[in-house]
Structures are given as structure tokens and as C-alpha cells.
Amino acid sequence: LQYFRKLLNRDFDMPEISRFVLSPYWRIASSSEQQQFTKLLSDDLVRFYRQRFTRYKGETFEVMGSRSDPAGTIVTSQILRPNGSSIEVDWQLTAQNGRYKISDVIIDNISMALSEREAFARQLQLSGGQVASLLARMERDTSIGALVGSP
């Protein structure tokens, strides 16, 4: 959990991902709400992907190549399973201060950032478009997950 959190904070562009996911609500959120959302989204992603990655046993990871994209660079890769099937994983990278950061992960043509954006848009609609209500729900879910030992 600590390793994945360190990896996420170091290699993912969480401010940009958060801005994209919360859009257009990002513009109406206060600076403290934006920071809180970024932290809670990071916590949520750490728990979600840790749970997913612990299911992998015996898989190998292979980088296939890269290509330029209007938003930066896409690195193509595969997770090769022992049964012969593979999972296509593309990594959207953007350059920041001479260093690449991951701004999206596309698994079998499904964008993580877009999926999160759609999920949070639904939650915001249920919250009457109130960012504070969304943050309260995210805080509560984080607390409940910690209490029941969710990864």
C-alpha cells in the first residue's frame, strides 16, 4: 500500500488527473476543496488498484513501444497472463519540468481518467452539484474502508 502510494505520488500527474476528473466542478471548487479532492482521489486509486494488482500472479509486463500524441506520449504495453491471454495497457505521459508523468492509463481501450470522470459526475449529480457533499461522501467512504480493512 505504501509502495503504491509512493509510486502514484511520484509518477502520476494527480493534480491534472484530479482537474480532469472533477471538470467542470473544478472551476467552482475552492482551492482547499481541490486539494482535498486530489488527496481523496489518490487514496481511492491506491486502494482500488492495489486490490486489482494483488490478483495478478505469474503475469509478466512487456513494453511494446511508444508513439507521439497531441497530449504527449503514449507508451504501449501488455500484461501477459500465464493462460496466454493478454491485457493491453497504454500509458498517457505528459512532460513536466523535463520529467514525464502519467496522466492516464488506458486498459483494453478504457480510459481510467474518463471512467473516473463519469463516475464522479454521477456522484456530483446525486450531491446536487455540491463539491463539499461529494468530499464528505468520499471522506466517509475512506473511513469505512479503513474500518473494515479494505485494501
Side-chain angles (χ1 to χ4, degrees), residues 2 28 100 104 107 124 129 137:
Q2 290 174 348
I28 62 171
Y100 283 102
D104 196 7
I107 302 172
L124 277 157
R137 179 183 296 166

Side-chain angles (χ1 to χ4, degrees), residues 14-145:
M14 286 310 300
E16 182 57 34
I17 293 169
S18 298
R19 193 173 8 266
F20 177 81
V21 167
L22 200 56
S23 174
Y25 298 94
W26 185 265
R27 291 186 294 278
I28 62 171
S30 69
S31 178
S32 64
E33 287 174 330
Q34 291 172 350
Q35 291 173 356
Q36 184 180 10
F37 179 78
T38 300
K39 181 198 176 306
L40 291 169
L41 179 62
S42 295
D43 292 346
D44 187 50
L45 291 174
V46 165
R47 280 191 314 278
F48 178 80
Y49 284 104
R50 177 182 175 260
Q51 183 180 24
R52 291 286 190 262
F53 289 143
T54 57
R55 294 179 187 169
Y56 292 122
K57 294 188 181 1
E59 285 80 0
T60 57
F61 181 82
E62 183 177 330
V63 174
M64 309 301 289
S66 65
R67 65 184 185 277
S68 293
D69 179 81
T73 301
I74 295 179
V75 174
T76 58
S77 64
Q78 290 183 341
I79 297 172
L80 304 168
R81 294 177 164 168
N83 67 5
S85 65
S86 63
I87 300 169
E88 304 292 323
V89 182
D90 290 343
W91 307 82
Q92 176 70 54
L93 306 176
T94 53
Q96 292 182 359
N97 302 322
R99 187 165 189 270
Y100 283 102
K101 292 265 193 168
I102 300 165
S103 57
D104 196 7
V105 179
I106 301 102
I107 302 172
D108 281 337
N109 295 314
I110 299 171
S111 162
M112 174 211 62
L114 190 55
S115 296
E116 291 292 317
R117 183 180 191 169
E118 291 168 355
F120 281 105
R122 284 190 297 276
Q123 290 183 35
L124 277 157
Q125 287 175 343
L126 293 173
S127 300
Q130 300 297 312
V131 175
S133 297
L134 171 69
L135 295 173
R137 179 183 296 166
M138 291 174 75
E139 282 279 0
R140 186 179 64 245
D141 291 349
T142 298
S143 298
I144 291 170

